[in-house]
Amino acid sequence: MLISLPVALLIALAQLRGSRIVEMSLVVLGAIMRGLPPLVILFMCYFMSPLLELSLSPFVSAVVALSLYIVFYFSECFRSGLLAIQQGQYEAITAMGFTPFHAFRRILFPQIIPNLMPTLSGYVTEVIKTSSLASTISVMELTSNGYQMMMSSGRPFTILAIVGALYAFLDVVSAYPQRMIVRHFSARSSS
């Protein structure tokens, strides 16, 4: 998330404000990345890194793969939020002489956050659930630990219930800051 969100914002801005070649390249790359299953992306990052003379650990491969998997979904959220802002506001920003950074930080970003958070929230949940795939490349995460406990304890239903409850808890915990962000920006844009 910490990697994907800022990169996604840059991709969205490049699609909207970049050259036609940059825009089309990002559209094609986004379509490819959104079309690939996350497990395929994970395997590509892990098994192809030695071919590229990179030595990525399983954990780093998982972080890179999950970031690549979700970044283009996040960028579409940002892009749609920016496209929803009326053209007159962009003209007013230009007329008032705001720098692009200042205009984005003070005017545009507070307006798009409340609208894109529900969709972004769904993708955050997707990332949490998809992280379980990292166990396929030997990353010790919640699902793989649960599997080991199931094998050693012989209590699959209990362990699966605990693992499921922990994923649900992670989802609830991740939703709280999102609600706070929406509340903050909604109050800010209405004042």
Side-chain angles (χ1 to χ4, degrees), residues 98-136:
F98 284 107
T99 65
F101 176 76
H102 189 258
F104 182 79
R105 190 173 67 87
R106 293 294 212 169
I107 299 167
L108 302 175
F109 193 69
Q111 289 182 63
I112 66 171
I113 287 295
N115 295 330
L116 67 87
M117 281 309 280
T119 307
L120 219 55
S121 177
Y123 290 136
V124 168
T125 299
E126 181 69 19
V127 170
I128 291 170
K129 292 186 305 184
T130 306
S131 69
S132 66
L133 296 175
S135 65
T136 61

PDB file of all heavy atoms in Angstrom, residues 98-136:
ATOM      1  N   PHE A  98      -1.860  29.312  -9.228  1.00  0.00           N
ATOM      2  CA  PHE A  98      -1.361  28.274  -8.323  1.00  0.00           C
ATOM      3  C   PHE A  98      -0.316  27.413  -9.030  1.00  0.00           C
ATOM      4  O   PHE A  98      -0.435  27.137 -10.221  1.00  0.00           O
ATOM      5  CB  PHE A  98      -2.494  27.340  -7.866  1.00  0.00           C
ATOM      6  CG  PHE A  98      -3.392  27.921  -6.823  1.00  0.00           C
ATOM      7  CD1 PHE A  98      -4.679  28.329  -7.140  1.00  0.00           C
ATOM      8  CD2 PHE A  98      -2.964  28.048  -5.514  1.00  0.00           C
ATOM      9  CE1 PHE A  98      -5.522  28.849  -6.187  1.00  0.00           C
ATOM     10  CE2 PHE A  98      -3.797  28.566  -4.550  1.00  0.00           C
ATOM     11  CZ  PHE A  98      -5.080  28.972  -4.873  1.00  0.00           C
ATOM     12  N   THR A  99       0.687  26.993  -8.282  1.00  0.00           N
ATOM     13  CA  THR A  99       1.613  26.004  -8.833  1.00  0.00           C
ATOM     14  C   THR A  99       0.864  24.674  -8.910  1.00  0.00           C
ATOM     15  O   THR A  99      -0.079  24.445  -8.144  1.00  0.00           O
ATOM     16  CB  THR A  99       2.853  25.836  -7.933  1.00  0.00           C
ATOM     17  OG1 THR A  99       2.441  25.299  -6.669  1.00  0.00           O
ATOM     18  CG2 THR A  99       3.586  27.159  -7.740  1.00  0.00           C
ATOM     19  N   PRO A 100       1.251  23.794  -9.807  1.00  0.00           N
ATOM     20  CA  PRO A 100       0.561  22.503  -9.903  1.00  0.00           C
ATOM     21  C   PRO A 100       0.553  21.726  -8.583  1.00  0.00           C
ATOM     22  O   PRO A 100      -0.468  21.155  -8.203  1.00  0.00           O
ATOM     23  CB  PRO A 100       1.346  21.753 -10.982  1.00  0.00           C
ATOM     24  CG  PRO A 100       1.933  22.832 -11.832  1.00  0.00           C
ATOM     25  CD  PRO A 100       2.229  23.956 -10.875  1.00  0.00           C
ATOM     26  N   PHE A 101       1.682  21.747  -7.875  1.00  0.00           N
ATOM     27  CA  PHE A 101       1.750  21.023  -6.600  1.00  0.00           C
ATOM     28  C   PHE A 101       0.793  21.626  -5.580  1.00  0.00           C
ATOM     29  O   PHE A 101       0.049  20.916  -4.900  1.00  0.00           O
ATOM     30  CB  PHE A 101       3.182  21.032  -6.044  1.00  0.00           C
ATOM     31  CG  PHE A 101       3.288  20.392  -4.698  1.00  0.00           C
ATOM     32  CD1 PHE A 101       3.264  19.009  -4.569  1.00  0.00           C
ATOM     33  CD2 PHE A 101       3.397  21.162  -3.545  1.00  0.00           C
ATOM     34  CE1 PHE A 101       3.348  18.410  -3.324  1.00  0.00           C
ATOM     35  CE2 PHE A 101       3.485  20.578  -2.299  1.00  0.00           C
ATOM     36  CZ  PHE A 101       3.461  19.194  -2.184  1.00  0.00           C
ATOM     37  N   HIS A 102       0.800  22.946  -5.457  1.00  0.00           N
ATOM     38  CA  HIS A 102      -0.058  23.626  -4.495  1.00  0.00           C
ATOM     39  C   HIS A 102      -1.532  23.425  -4.839  1.00  0.00           C
ATOM     40  O   HIS A 102      -2.367  23.177  -3.966  1.00  0.00           O
ATOM     41  CB  HIS A 102       0.288  25.117  -4.442  1.00  0.00           C
ATOM     42  CG  HIS A 102      -0.411  25.841  -3.334  1.00  0.00           C
ATOM     43  ND1 HIS A 102      -1.519  26.618  -3.564  1.00  0.00           N
ATOM     44  CD2 HIS A 102      -0.190  25.878  -1.996  1.00  0.00           C
ATOM     45  CE1 HIS A 102      -1.945  27.117  -2.424  1.00  0.00           C
ATOM     46  NE2 HIS A 102      -1.164  26.684  -1.452  1.00  0.00           N
ATOM     47  N   ALA A 103      -1.849  23.518  -6.115  1.00  0.00           N
ATOM     48  CA  ALA A 103      -3.239  23.327  -6.553  1.00  0.00           C
ATOM     49  C   ALA A 103      -3.702  21.912  -6.244  1.00  0.00           C
ATOM     50  O   ALA A 103      -4.821  21.706  -5.766  1.00  0.00           O
ATOM     51  CB  ALA A 103      -3.360  23.600  -8.040  1.00  0.00           C
ATOM     52  N   PHE A 104      -2.834  20.946  -6.499  1.00  0.00           N
ATOM     53  CA  PHE A 104      -3.222  19.566  -6.236  1.00  0.00           C
ATOM     54  C   PHE A 104      -3.415  19.325  -4.741  1.00  0.00           C
ATOM     55  O   PHE A 104      -4.413  18.761  -4.311  1.00  0.00           O
ATOM     56  CB  PHE A 104      -2.174  18.594  -6.791  1.00  0.00           C
ATOM     57  CG  PHE A 104      -2.565  17.174  -6.592  1.00  0.00           C
ATOM     58  CD1 PHE A 104      -3.492  16.574  -7.428  1.00  0.00           C
ATOM     59  CD2 PHE A 104      -2.046  16.431  -5.548  1.00  0.00           C
ATOM     60  CE1 PHE A 104      -3.892  15.268  -7.234  1.00  0.00           C
ATOM     61  CE2 PHE A 104      -2.438  15.120  -5.341  1.00  0.00           C
ATOM     62  CZ  PHE A 104      -3.363  14.537  -6.191  1.00  0.00           C
ATOM     63  N   ARG A 105      -2.451  19.768  -3.951  1.00  0.00           N
ATOM     64  CA  ARG A 105      -2.490  19.519  -2.508  1.00  0.00           C
ATOM     65  C   ARG A 105      -3.630  20.245  -1.819  1.00  0.00           C
ATOM     66  O   ARG A 105      -4.299  19.699  -0.950  1.00  0.00           O
ATOM     67  CB  ARG A 105      -1.152  19.924  -1.880  1.00  0.00           C
ATOM     68  CG  ARG A 105      -1.000  19.500  -0.438  1.00  0.00           C
ATOM     69  CD  ARG A 105       0.402  19.785   0.062  1.00  0.00           C
ATOM     70  NE  ARG A 105       0.711  21.183   0.162  1.00  0.00           N
ATOM     71  CZ  ARG A 105       0.452  21.936   1.223  1.00  0.00           C
ATOM     72  NH1 ARG A 105      -0.146  21.423   2.262  1.00  0.00           N
ATOM     73  NH2 ARG A 105       0.781  23.206   1.233  1.00  0.00           N
ATOM     74  N   ARG A 106      -3.888  21.475  -2.206  1.00  0.00           N
ATOM     75  CA  ARG A 106      -4.876  22.296  -1.506  1.00  0.00           C
ATOM     76  C   ARG A 106      -6.294  22.237  -2.084  1.00  0.00           C
ATOM     77  O   ARG A 106      -7.259  22.417  -1.371  1.00  0.00           O
ATOM     78  CB  ARG A 106      -4.431  23.760  -1.495  1.00  0.00           C
ATOM     79  CG  ARG A 106      -3.214  24.031  -0.689  1.00  0.00           C
ATOM     80  CD  ARG A 106      -3.506  23.795   0.743  1.00  0.00           C
ATOM     81  NE  ARG A 106      -2.734  24.677   1.561  1.00  0.00           N
ATOM     82  CZ  ARG A 106      -2.943  24.824   2.827  1.00  0.00           C
ATOM     83  NH1 ARG A 106      -3.930  24.203   3.406  1.00  0.00           N
ATOM     84  NH2 ARG A 106      -2.199  25.603   3.535  1.00  0.00           N
ATOM     85  N   ILE A 107      -6.416  22.010  -3.384  1.00  0.00           N
ATOM     86  CA  ILE A 107      -7.728  22.119  -4.017  1.00  0.00           C
ATOM     87  C   ILE A 107      -8.229  20.776  -4.556  1.00  0.00           C
ATOM     88  O   ILE A 107      -9.337  20.346  -4.245  1.00  0.00           O
ATOM     89  CB  ILE A 107      -7.693  23.176  -5.146  1.00  0.00           C
ATOM     90  CG1 ILE A 107      -7.337  24.546  -4.553  1.00  0.00           C
ATOM     91  CG2 ILE A 107      -9.019  23.226  -5.875  1.00  0.00           C
ATOM     92  CD1 ILE A 107      -6.964  25.591  -5.562  1.00  0.00           C
ATOM     93  N   LEU A 108      -7.423  20.108  -5.357  1.00  0.00           N
ATOM     94  CA  LEU A 108      -7.887  18.902  -6.047  1.00  0.00           C
ATOM     95  C   LEU A 108      -7.932  17.676  -5.132  1.00  0.00           C
ATOM     96  O   LEU A 108      -8.941  16.974  -5.080  1.00  0.00           O
ATOM     97  CB  LEU A 108      -7.011  18.625  -7.271  1.00  0.00           C
ATOM     98  CG  LEU A 108      -6.948  19.754  -8.298  1.00  0.00           C
ATOM     99  CD1 LEU A 108      -5.968  19.415  -9.409  1.00  0.00           C
ATOM    100  CD2 LEU A 108      -8.320  20.039  -8.855  1.00  0.00           C
ATOM    101  N   PHE A 109      -6.840  17.415  -4.435  1.00  0.00           N
ATOM    102  CA  PHE A 109      -6.756  16.211  -3.604  1.00  0.00           C
ATOM    103  C   PHE A 109      -7.862  16.136  -2.555  1.00  0.00           C
ATOM    104  O   PHE A 109      -8.506  15.086  -2.411  1.00  0.00           O
ATOM    105  CB  PHE A 109      -5.367  16.113  -2.960  1.00  0.00           C
ATOM    106  CG  PHE A 109      -5.077  14.778  -2.350  1.00  0.00           C
ATOM    107  CD1 PHE A 109      -4.913  13.656  -3.147  1.00  0.00           C
ATOM    108  CD2 PHE A 109      -4.966  14.637  -0.973  1.00  0.00           C
ATOM    109  CE1 PHE A 109      -4.643  12.419  -2.599  1.00  0.00           C
ATOM    110  CE2 PHE A 109      -4.699  13.408  -0.413  1.00  0.00           C
ATOM    111  CZ  PHE A 109      -4.533  12.292  -1.224  1.00  0.00           C
ATOM    112  N   PRO A 110      -8.140  17.216  -1.828  1.00  0.00           N
ATOM    113  CA  PRO A 110      -9.240  17.138  -0.853  1.00  0.00           C
ATOM    114  C   PRO A 110     -10.599  16.836  -1.485  1.00  0.00           C
ATOM    115  O   PRO A 110     -11.477  16.272  -0.840  1.00  0.00           O
ATOM    116  CB  PRO A 110      -9.247  18.528  -0.199  1.00  0.00           C
ATOM    117  CG  PRO A 110      -7.869  19.044  -0.387  1.00  0.00           C
ATOM    118  CD  PRO A 110      -7.406  18.489  -1.709  1.00  0.00           C
ATOM    119  N   GLN A 111     -10.774  17.188  -2.747  1.00  0.00           N
ATOM    120  CA  GLN A 111     -12.057  16.923  -3.406  1.00  0.00           C
ATOM    121  C   GLN A 111     -12.185  15.478  -3.881  1.00  0.00           C
ATOM    122  O   GLN A 111     -13.283  14.918  -3.883  1.00  0.00           O
ATOM    123  CB  GLN A 111     -12.231  17.847  -4.611  1.00  0.00           C
ATOM    124  CG  GLN A 111     -12.478  19.287  -4.235  1.00  0.00           C
ATOM    125  CD  GLN A 111     -12.693  20.104  -5.479  1.00  0.00           C
ATOM    126  OE1 GLN A 111     -13.647  19.872  -6.207  1.00  0.00           O
ATOM    127  NE2 GLN A 111     -11.796  21.051  -5.725  1.00  0.00           N
ATOM    128  N   ILE A 112     -11.080  14.881  -4.292  1.00  0.00           N
ATOM    129  CA  ILE A 112     -11.190  13.529  -4.840  1.00  0.00           C
ATOM    130  C   ILE A 112     -11.201  12.447  -3.770  1.00  0.00           C
ATOM    131  O   ILE A 112     -11.765  11.375  -3.988  1.00  0.00           O
ATOM    132  CB  ILE A 112     -10.092  13.227  -5.892  1.00  0.00           C
ATOM    133  CG1 ILE A 112      -8.702  13.202  -5.260  1.00  0.00           C
ATOM    134  CG2 ILE A 112     -10.163  14.189  -7.036  1.00  0.00           C
ATOM    135  CD1 ILE A 112      -7.625  12.695  -6.196  1.00  0.00           C
ATOM    136  N   ILE A 113     -10.618  12.720  -2.609  1.00  0.00           N
ATOM    137  CA  ILE A 113     -10.504  11.681  -1.570  1.00  0.00           C
ATOM    138  C   ILE A 113     -11.858  11.120  -1.141  1.00  0.00           C
ATOM    139  O   ILE A 113     -12.033   9.904  -1.140  1.00  0.00           O
ATOM    140  CB  ILE A 113      -9.705  12.205  -0.361  1.00  0.00           C
ATOM    141  CG1 ILE A 113      -8.225  12.309  -0.726  1.00  0.00           C
ATOM    142  CG2 ILE A 113      -9.867  11.321   0.854  1.00  0.00           C
ATOM    143  CD1 ILE A 113      -7.566  10.991  -1.026  1.00  0.00           C
ATOM    144  N   PRO A 114     -12.843  11.923  -0.762  1.00  0.00           N
ATOM    145  CA  PRO A 114     -14.114  11.325  -0.325  1.00  0.00           C
ATOM    146  C   PRO A 114     -14.790  10.476  -1.406  1.00  0.00           C
ATOM    147  O   PRO A 114     -15.434   9.478  -1.092  1.00  0.00           O
ATOM    148  CB  PRO A 114     -14.991  12.533   0.026  1.00  0.00           C
ATOM    149  CG  PRO A 114     -14.039  13.637   0.301  1.00  0.00           C
ATOM    150  CD  PRO A 114     -12.863  13.387  -0.603  1.00  0.00           C
ATOM    151  N   ASN A 115     -14.595  10.839  -2.664  1.00  0.00           N
ATOM    152  CA  ASN A 115     -15.229  10.089  -3.750  1.00  0.00           C
ATOM    153  C   ASN A 115     -14.512   8.789  -4.084  1.00  0.00           C
ATOM    154  O   ASN A 115     -15.143   7.828  -4.496  1.00  0.00           O
ATOM    155  CB  ASN A 115     -15.320  10.950  -5.012  1.00  0.00           C
ATOM    156  CG  ASN A 115     -16.231  12.137  -4.807  1.00  0.00           C
ATOM    157  OD1 ASN A 115     -17.183  12.073  -4.033  1.00  0.00           O
ATOM    158  ND2 ASN A 115     -15.930  13.234  -5.465  1.00  0.00           N
ATOM    159  N   LEU A 116     -13.198   8.756  -3.940  1.00  0.00           N
ATOM    160  CA  LEU A 116     -12.486   7.547  -4.338  1.00  0.00           C
ATOM    161  C   LEU A 116     -12.250   6.569  -3.201  1.00  0.00           C
ATOM    162  O   LEU A 116     -11.912   5.409  -3.443  1.00  0.00           O
ATOM    163  CB  LEU A 116     -11.182   7.882  -5.055  1.00  0.00           C
ATOM    164  CG  LEU A 116     -10.038   8.550  -4.315  1.00  0.00           C
ATOM    165  CD1 LEU A 116      -9.152   7.540  -3.631  1.00  0.00           C
ATOM    166  CD2 LEU A 116      -9.205   9.315  -5.320  1.00  0.00           C
ATOM    167  N   MET A 117     -12.462   6.980  -1.960  1.00  0.00           N
ATOM    168  CA  MET A 117     -12.177   6.084  -0.828  1.00  0.00           C
ATOM    169  C   MET A 117     -13.013   4.810  -0.808  1.00  0.00           C
ATOM    170  O   MET A 117     -12.482   3.757  -0.474  1.00  0.00           O
ATOM    171  CB  MET A 117     -12.297   6.830   0.507  1.00  0.00           C
ATOM    172  CG  MET A 117     -11.097   7.680   0.833  1.00  0.00           C
ATOM    173  SD  MET A 117      -9.514   6.853   0.711  1.00  0.00           S
ATOM    174  CE  MET A 117      -9.456   5.978   2.250  1.00  0.00           C
ATOM    175  N   PRO A 118     -14.299   4.823  -1.145  1.00  0.00           N
ATOM    176  CA  PRO A 118     -15.034   3.551  -1.130  1.00  0.00           C
ATOM    177  C   PRO A 118     -14.429   2.507  -2.077  1.00  0.00           C
ATOM    178  O   PRO A 118     -14.261   1.349  -1.710  1.00  0.00           O
ATOM    179  CB  PRO A 118     -16.450   3.942  -1.553  1.00  0.00           C
ATOM    180  CG  PRO A 118     -16.575   5.369  -1.159  1.00  0.00           C
ATOM    181  CD  PRO A 118     -15.204   5.952  -1.378  1.00  0.00           C
ATOM    182  N   THR A 119     -14.063   2.930  -3.279  1.00  0.00           N
ATOM    183  CA  THR A 119     -13.457   2.003  -4.233  1.00  0.00           C
ATOM    184  C   THR A 119     -12.066   1.598  -3.767  1.00  0.00           C
ATOM    185  O   THR A 119     -11.693   0.426  -3.812  1.00  0.00           O
ATOM    186  CB  THR A 119     -13.374   2.645  -5.629  1.00  0.00           C
ATOM    187  OG1 THR A 119     -14.664   3.117  -5.988  1.00  0.00           O
ATOM    188  CG2 THR A 119     -12.876   1.666  -6.654  1.00  0.00           C
ATOM    189  N   LEU A 120     -11.306   2.568  -3.301  1.00  0.00           N
ATOM    190  CA  LEU A 120      -9.973   2.294  -2.787  1.00  0.00           C
ATOM    191  C   LEU A 120     -10.041   1.314  -1.625  1.00  0.00           C
ATOM    192  O   LEU A 120      -9.196   0.420  -1.510  1.00  0.00           O
ATOM    193  CB  LEU A 120      -9.328   3.610  -2.351  1.00  0.00           C
ATOM    194  CG  LEU A 120      -7.862   3.827  -2.615  1.00  0.00           C
ATOM    195  CD1 LEU A 120      -7.527   3.639  -4.070  1.00  0.00           C
ATOM    196  CD2 LEU A 120      -7.447   5.209  -2.161  1.00  0.00           C
ATOM    197  N   SER A 121     -11.036   1.475  -0.783  1.00  0.00           N
ATOM    198  CA  SER A 121     -11.219   0.587   0.364  1.00  0.00           C
ATOM    199  C   SER A 121     -11.415  -0.863  -0.083  1.00  0.00           C
ATOM    200  O   SER A 121     -10.870  -1.788   0.517  1.00  0.00           O
ATOM    201  CB  SER A 121     -12.427   1.054   1.177  1.00  0.00           C
ATOM    202  OG  SER A 121     -12.672   0.179   2.233  1.00  0.00           O
ATOM    203  N   GLY A 122     -12.174  -1.057  -1.142  1.00  0.00           N
ATOM    204  CA  GLY A 122     -12.358  -2.405  -1.672  1.00  0.00           C
ATOM    205  C   GLY A 122     -11.060  -3.002  -2.169  1.00  0.00           C
ATOM    206  O   GLY A 122     -10.787  -4.189  -1.963  1.00  0.00           O
ATOM    207  N   TYR A 123     -10.228  -2.183  -2.800  1.00  0.00           N
ATOM    208  CA  TYR A 123      -8.941  -2.676  -3.278  1.00  0.00           C
ATOM    209  C   TYR A 123      -7.977  -2.949  -2.125  1.00  0.00           C
ATOM    210  O   TYR A 123      -7.147  -3.851  -2.209  1.00  0.00           O
ATOM    211  CB  TYR A 123      -8.324  -1.704  -4.284  1.00  0.00           C
ATOM    212  CG  TYR A 123      -9.068  -1.665  -5.592  1.00  0.00           C
ATOM    213  CD1 TYR A 123      -9.340  -0.463  -6.214  1.00  0.00           C
ATOM    214  CD2 TYR A 123      -9.507  -2.829  -6.207  1.00  0.00           C
ATOM    215  CE1 TYR A 123     -10.024  -0.422  -7.415  1.00  0.00           C
ATOM    216  CE2 TYR A 123     -10.199  -2.800  -7.404  1.00  0.00           C
ATOM    217  CZ  TYR A 123     -10.452  -1.586  -8.002  1.00  0.00           C
ATOM    218  OH  TYR A 123     -11.133  -1.544  -9.197  1.00  0.00           O
ATOM    219  N   VAL A 124      -8.065  -2.171  -1.056  1.00  0.00           N
ATOM    220  CA  VAL A 124      -7.238  -2.439   0.124  1.00  0.00           C
ATOM    221  C   VAL A 124      -7.583  -3.814   0.684  1.00  0.00           C
ATOM    222  O   VAL A 124      -6.697  -4.612   1.032  1.00  0.00           O
ATOM    223  CB  VAL A 124      -7.422  -1.333   1.192  1.00  0.00           C
ATOM    224  CG1 VAL A 124      -6.823  -1.735   2.528  1.00  0.00           C
ATOM    225  CG2 VAL A 124      -6.827  -0.023   0.708  1.00  0.00           C
ATOM    226  N   THR A 125      -8.865  -4.119   0.759  1.00  0.00           N
ATOM    227  CA  THR A 125      -9.294  -5.439   1.209  1.00  0.00           C
ATOM    228  C   THR A 125      -8.748  -6.517   0.279  1.00  0.00           C
ATOM    229  O   THR A 125      -8.296  -7.570   0.730  1.00  0.00           O
ATOM    230  CB  THR A 125     -10.833  -5.513   1.251  1.00  0.00           C
ATOM    231  OG1 THR A 125     -11.305  -4.536   2.183  1.00  0.00           O
ATOM    232  CG2 THR A 125     -11.323  -6.882   1.657  1.00  0.00           C
ATOM    233  N   GLU A 126      -8.764  -6.245  -1.003  1.00  0.00           N
ATOM    234  CA  GLU A 126      -8.233  -7.197  -1.992  1.00  0.00           C
ATOM    235  C   GLU A 126      -6.750  -7.472  -1.750  1.00  0.00           C
ATOM    236  O   GLU A 126      -6.297  -8.603  -1.844  1.00  0.00           O
ATOM    237  CB  GLU A 126      -8.464  -6.657  -3.403  1.00  0.00           C
ATOM    238  CG  GLU A 126      -7.978  -7.547  -4.503  1.00  0.00           C
ATOM    239  CD  GLU A 126      -8.779  -8.830  -4.641  1.00  0.00           C
ATOM    240  OE1 GLU A 126      -9.916  -8.908  -4.142  1.00  0.00           O
ATOM    241  OE2 GLU A 126      -8.252  -9.774  -5.258  1.00  0.00           O
ATOM    242  N   VAL A 127      -5.984  -6.429  -1.450  1.00  0.00           N
ATOM    243  CA  VAL A 127      -4.553  -6.598  -1.193  1.00  0.00           C
ATOM    244  C   VAL A 127      -4.341  -7.445   0.056  1.00  0.00           C
ATOM    245  O   VAL A 127      -3.478  -8.327   0.084  1.00  0.00           O
ATOM    246  CB  VAL A 127      -3.846  -5.233  -1.041  1.00  0.00           C
ATOM    247  CG1 VAL A 127      -2.426  -5.403  -0.549  1.00  0.00           C
ATOM    248  CG2 VAL A 127      -3.851  -4.485  -2.349  1.00  0.00           C
ATOM    249  N   ILE A 128      -5.124  -7.194   1.086  1.00  0.00           N
ATOM    250  CA  ILE A 128      -4.985  -7.975   2.324  1.00  0.00           C
ATOM    251  C   ILE A 128      -5.241  -9.452   2.039  1.00  0.00           C
ATOM    252  O   ILE A 128      -4.477 -10.323   2.458  1.00  0.00           O
ATOM    253  CB  ILE A 128      -5.930  -7.440   3.414  1.00  0.00           C
ATOM    254  CG1 ILE A 128      -5.462  -6.056   3.883  1.00  0.00           C
ATOM    255  CG2 ILE A 128      -6.003  -8.412   4.600  1.00  0.00           C
ATOM    256  CD1 ILE A 128      -6.443  -5.328   4.771  1.00  0.00           C
ATOM    257  N   LYS A 129      -6.306  -9.734   1.304  1.00  0.00           N
ATOM    258  CA  LYS A 129      -6.629 -11.130   0.999  1.00  0.00           C
ATOM    259  C   LYS A 129      -5.607 -11.753   0.052  1.00  0.00           C
ATOM    260  O   LYS A 129      -5.229 -12.908   0.209  1.00  0.00           O
ATOM    261  CB  LYS A 129      -8.029 -11.238   0.403  1.00  0.00           C
ATOM    262  CG  LYS A 129      -9.129 -10.902   1.383  1.00  0.00           C
ATOM    263  CD  LYS A 129     -10.498 -11.149   0.834  1.00  0.00           C
ATOM    264  CE  LYS A 129     -10.761 -10.441  -0.452  1.00  0.00           C
ATOM    265  NZ  LYS A 129     -12.119 -10.592  -0.966  1.00  0.00           N
ATOM    266  N   THR A 130      -5.159 -10.996  -0.931  1.00  0.00           N
ATOM    267  CA  THR A 130      -4.221 -11.523  -1.918  1.00  0.00           C
ATOM    268  C   THR A 130      -2.850 -11.797  -1.312  1.00  0.00           C
ATOM    269  O   THR A 130      -2.099 -12.607  -1.838  1.00  0.00           O
ATOM    270  CB  THR A 130      -4.105 -10.538  -3.106  1.00  0.00           C
ATOM    271  OG1 THR A 130      -5.410 -10.283  -3.614  1.00  0.00           O
ATOM    272  CG2 THR A 130      -3.249 -11.087  -4.215  1.00  0.00           C
ATOM    273  N   SER A 131      -2.540 -11.149  -0.209  1.00  0.00           N
ATOM    274  CA  SER A 131      -1.243 -11.394   0.437  1.00  0.00           C
ATOM    275  C   SER A 131      -1.066 -12.861   0.822  1.00  0.00           C
ATOM    276  O   SER A 131       0.056 -13.332   0.975  1.00  0.00           O
ATOM    277  CB  SER A 131      -1.075 -10.496   1.662  1.00  0.00           C
ATOM    278  OG  SER A 131      -1.965 -10.896   2.689  1.00  0.00           O
ATOM    279  N   SER A 132      -2.167 -13.589   0.945  1.00  0.00           N
ATOM    280  CA  SER A 132      -2.061 -15.012   1.286  1.00  0.00           C
ATOM    281  C   SER A 132      -1.345 -15.798   0.189  1.00  0.00           C
ATOM    282  O   SER A 132      -0.775 -16.860   0.460  1.00  0.00           O
ATOM    283  CB  SER A 132      -3.448 -15.608   1.530  1.00  0.00           C
ATOM    284  OG  SER A 132      -4.201 -15.607   0.337  1.00  0.00           O
ATOM    285  N   LEU A 133      -1.351 -15.296  -1.038  1.00  0.00           N
ATOM    286  CA  LEU A 133      -0.660 -15.980  -2.134  1.00  0.00           C
ATOM    287  C   LEU A 133       0.855 -16.000  -1.942  1.00  0.00           C
ATOM    288  O   LEU A 133       1.544 -16.825  -2.549  1.00  0.00           O
ATOM    289  CB  LEU A 133      -1.002 -15.325  -3.473  1.00  0.00           C
ATOM    290  CG  LEU A 133      -2.452 -15.406  -3.917  1.00  0.00           C
ATOM    291  CD1 LEU A 133      -2.652 -14.612  -5.204  1.00  0.00           C
ATOM    292  CD2 LEU A 133      -2.885 -16.842  -4.095  1.00  0.00           C
ATOM    293  N   ALA A 134       1.375 -15.106  -1.124  1.00  0.00           N
ATOM    294  CA  ALA A 134       2.816 -15.051  -0.902  1.00  0.00           C
ATOM    295  C   ALA A 134       3.349 -16.352  -0.299  1.00  0.00           C
ATOM    296  O   ALA A 134       4.533 -16.668  -0.428  1.00  0.00           O
ATOM    297  CB  ALA A 134       3.177 -13.871  -0.011  1.00  0.00           C
ATOM    298  N   SER A 135       2.469 -17.123   0.316  1.00  0.00           N
ATOM    299  CA  SER A 135       2.909 -18.402   0.881  1.00  0.00           C
ATOM    300  C   SER A 135       3.385 -19.358  -0.207  1.00  0.00           C
ATOM    301  O   SER A 135       4.176 -20.255   0.060  1.00  0.00           O
ATOM    302  CB  SER A 135       1.775 -19.047   1.689  1.00  0.00           C
ATOM    303  OG  SER A 135       0.698 -19.382   0.841  1.00  0.00           O
ATOM    304  N   THR A 136       2.934 -19.157  -1.457  1.00  0.00           N
ATOM    305  CA  THR A 136       3.335 -20.052  -2.547  1.00  0.00           C
ATOM    306  C   THR A 136       4.804 -19.905  -2.919  1.00  0.00           C
ATOM    307  O   THR A 136       5.362 -20.778  -3.576  1.00  0.00           O
ATOM    308  CB  THR A 136       2.476 -19.828  -3.808  1.00  0.00           C
ATOM    309  OG1 THR A 136       2.651 -18.490  -4.259  1.00  0.00           O
ATOM    310  CG2 THR A 136       1.014 -20.120  -3.522  1.00  0.00           C
TER     311      THR A 136
END
